[in-house]
Amino acid sequence: MLTSILGLRPSAPRKELNIFNPQLPQWLDHFQIRNLRVGKSRVDLDFTRQGDRTFCNVVHIGGEKLLVNVAFKN
């Protein structure tokens, strides 16, 4: 369920995490993910909702290099 709401699309073979159009529900303004594993990488993410839009901040990446892309649908 979180994968769908937050738009998480991990790809361990490509060492990549795509986040597409994250949306927190109206009753939740802030959400944190800590030590999310993608292959041999770990990432910490903060999601914050402002109005109808949810923003994602990459707090920390550990382990192997990981490319994190955040994309928003208009």
Side-chain angles (χ1 to χ4, degrees):
M1 188 166 116
L2 284 177
T3 302
S4 178
I5 291 171
L6 298 178
L8 302 176
R9 307 286 188 265
S11 175
R14 292 190 316 228
K15 299 178 183 176
E16 186 174 277
L17 172 61
N18 293 301
I19 302 168
F20 181 71
N21 204 33
Q23 293 291 317
L24 289 177
Q26 292 291 341
W27 51 267
L28 186 61
D29 292 330
H30 187 76
F31 187 77
Q32 296 178 335
I33 296 178
R34 296 294 181 256
N35 290 317
L36 175 66
R37 290 181 181 222
V38 180
K40 294 181 181 179
S41 304
R42 290 184 183 152
V43 63
D44 296 343
L45 304 169
D46 285 351
F47 293 87
T48 305
R49 186 176 53 78
Q50 295 177 355
D52 291 335
R53 191 144 195 196
T54 298
F55 297 92
C56 178
N57 182 44
V58 178
V59 178
H60 177 76
I61 297 174
E64 290 186 355
K65 286 187 178 181
L66 180 70
L67 176 63
V68 179
N69 298 304
V70 182
F72 295 97
K73 182 174 118 179
N74 292 336

